[in-house]
């Protein structure tokens, strides 16, 4: 019995040693794989440097030109969106009795067409949007809308669906019927959740709005807007950055900052490309048309 016990123990020890060897071999293989991937990522890349978080810039952003240049300084607001009717062609439902706001989700409504207040608070704390202009000057009176404003600014209308064919252009309806220009300047907007009264606002008009296809202006090779089905709204950038912040224990403490810097650096490249297109009279060649 004693010898049998020794033999069993010895066999158990051999099994444990074999298991340890298998474990160390697995760890070594994983390390080699990680090292190989890391080496591939560390190869020289053209600017901008892509962060480890994987996401592609969305397909459409917005360029504007105001017939009255002074309007570029004025805050633009909208009726809050209540939801979406999917029957027939479908249309957005607005609350026209609540006042006018930036495109921010208002209680008691729940949907994905406006910026959530928690995300807005985070974005404001990280990028200090309040009191700043959403526009980046291009050329000949044109402005591009900063990616951080795309869902928040009513004329960017990042949340307004982009349909083709026989469907109506919800974006045009949104602009014509539910978007207003106020008598206040952007540098006076110290709280992005401010309510504006319609008595101090008028329907927005005489603004040339061009929705631009990213895959037509990108020169970095970074853009593949069709990787994610129906991923057409530029606010995905903000939501992705927010998810990196929210889950920073998983992705890394500063990964969301890296992503913000990445989007900013891409925007600089797009800015230069748009200036070139405008100066050559070719901006409309890269326009998205719903009809």
């Amino acid at each position: 019995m004693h010898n049998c016990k020794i033999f069993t123990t010895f066999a158990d020890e051999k099994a444990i040693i074999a298991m340890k060897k298998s474990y160390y071999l697995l760890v070594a293989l994983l390390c080699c794989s990680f090292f190989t991937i890391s080496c591939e990522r560390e190869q020289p890349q053209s600017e901008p440097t892509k962060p480890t978080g994987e996401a592609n810039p969305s397909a459409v952003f917005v360029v504007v030109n105001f017939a009255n240049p002074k309007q570029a300084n004025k805050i633009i607001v909208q009726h809050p969106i209540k939801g979406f009717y999917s029957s027939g062609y479908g249309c957005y439902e607005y609350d026209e009795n609540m006042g006018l706001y930036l495109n921010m989700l208002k209680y008691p409504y729940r949907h994905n067409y406006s910026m959530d207040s928690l995300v807005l608070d985070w974005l404001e704390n990280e990028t200090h949007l309040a009191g700043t202009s959403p526009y980046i000057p291009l050329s000949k009176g044109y402005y591009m809308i900063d990616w951080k404003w795309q869902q928040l600014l009513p004329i960017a209308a990042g949340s307004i669906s982009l349909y083709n064919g026989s469907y109506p252009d919800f974006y045009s309806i949104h602009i014509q019927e539910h978007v207003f220009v106020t008598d206040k300047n952007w540098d006076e907007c110290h709280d992005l959740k401010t309510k504006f009264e319609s008595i101090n606002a008028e329907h927005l008009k005489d603004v040339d709005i061009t929705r631009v296809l990213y895959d037509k202006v990108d020169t970095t090779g970074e853009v593949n807007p069709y990787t994610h089905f129906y991923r057409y709204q530029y606010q995905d950038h903000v939501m992705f950055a927010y998810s990196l912040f929210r889950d920073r224990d998983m992705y890394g403490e500063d990964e969301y900052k890296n992503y913000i810097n990445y989007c900013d650096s891409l925007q600089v490249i797009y800015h230069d490309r748009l200036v070139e297109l405008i100066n050559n009279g070719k901006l409309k060649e890269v326009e998205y048309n719903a009809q």
Side-chain angles (χ1 to χ4, degrees):
M1 292 291 295
H2 182 68
N3 291 337
C4 183
K5 183 175 181 181
I6 292 175
F7 178 79
T8 303
T9 303
F10 180 70
D12 290 342
E13 288 178 353
K14 288 182 66 178
I16 292 172
I17 291 172
M19 289 175 62
K20 285 184 177 181
K21 286 183 178 179
S22 299
Y23 172 77
Y24 292 138
L25 178 60
L26 178 60
V27 170
L29 289 172
L30 289 173
C31 289
C32 288
S33 299
F34 179 79
F35 179 77
T36 301
I37 294 171
S38 299
C39 288
E40 290 176 354
R41 289 182 175 177
E42 288 173 3
Q43 294 300 315
Q45 299 180 26
S46 58
E47 291 296 333
T49 301
K50 195 171 185 178
T52 56
E54 294 294 331
N56 294 300
S58 305
V60 177
F61 68 110
V62 180
V63 173
V64 296
N65 188 307
F66 296 91
N68 177 1
K70 293 183 179 179
Q71 278 195 332
N73 298 321
K74 301 301 180 181
I75 299 171
I76 292 176
V77 289
Q78 68 180 54
H79 291 131
I81 297 174
K82 295 168 64 174
F84 184 83
Y85 286 131
S86 59
S87 60
Y89 283 136
C91 62
Y92 290 88
E93 182 184 10
Y94 296 81
D95 190 328
E96 300 184 17
N97 301 309
M98 186 180 281
L100 301 171
Y101 298 84
L102 293 171
N103 187 30
M104 186 185 70
L105 185 64
K106 300 299 297 180
Y107 180 82
Y109 308 118
R110 295 182 179 181
H111 55 71
N112 297 321
Y113 314 120
S114 304
M115 182 172 286
D116 183 273
S117 59
L118 291 176
V119 180
L120 176 57
D121 287 342
W122 168 80
L123 189 61
E124 165 55 18
N125 291 334
E126 290 298 322
T127 61
H128 310 291
L129 290 185
T132 69
S133 171
Y135 309 119
I136 300 173
L138 293 168
S139 177
K140 299 183 179 181
Y142 284 93
Y143 300 87
M144 68 184 298
I145 295 176
D146 191 313
W147 70 273
K148 295 178 284 292
W149 283 87
Q150 279 286 355
Q151 188 181 17
L152 190 59
L153 185 65
I155 58 173
S159 60
I160 303 302
S161 295
L162 307 175
Y163 285 109
N164 286 303
S166 60
Y167 290 96
D169 187 351
F170 301 131
Y171 181 75
S172 295
I173 296 171
H174 169 77
I175 298 294
Q176 293 167 9
E177 300 181 11
H178 300 285
V179 177
F180 301 80
V181 59
T182 72
D183 59 351
K184 300 293 184 181
N185 291 338
W186 287 109
D187 59 7
E188 299 177 73
C189 185
H190 302 298
D191 184 353
L192 297 175
K193 298 178 184 178
T194 298
K195 173 183 177 181
F196 294 85
E197 300 298 338
S198 58
I199 192 172
N200 297 319
E202 58 183 22
H203 277 283
L204 181 68
K205 57 183 180 180
D206 299 326
V207 180
D208 178 29
I209 301 176
T210 305
R211 287 178 292 178
V212 178
L213 293 168
Y214 272 100
D215 61 338
K216 298 295 185 181
V217 300
D218 182 74
T219 57
T220 67
E222 294 285 345
V223 175
N224 180 6
Y226 307 109
T227 297
H228 302 282
F229 190 58
Y230 281 148
R231 200 156 179 266
Y232 291 108
Q233 286 100 26
Y234 198 27
Q235 77 268 17
D236 285 346
H237 278 312
V238 171
M239 294 306 299
F240 186 75
Y242 177 71
S243 70
L244 290 175
F245 168 79
R246 183 193 58 202
D247 301 325
R248 56 192 182 278
D249 289 342
M250 179 187 304
Y251 296 110
E253 182 66 29
D254 294 327
E255 189 60 31
Y256 73 97
K257 295 180 182 178
N258 294 337
Y259 189 71
I260 290 174
N261 292 334
Y262 168 62
C263 292
D264 285 341
S265 61
L266 271 180
Q267 190 161 254
V268 171
I269 294 174
Y270 296 149
H271 171 277
D272 295 344
R273 174 63 174 145
L274 286 169
V275 168
E276 178 185 344
L277 289 168
I278 291 169
N279 289 339
N280 292 329
K282 296 183 177 181
L283 178 64
K284 295 301 180 179
E285 294 181 10
V286 296
E287 181 177 18
Y288 170 88
N289 291 298
Q291 297 298 336

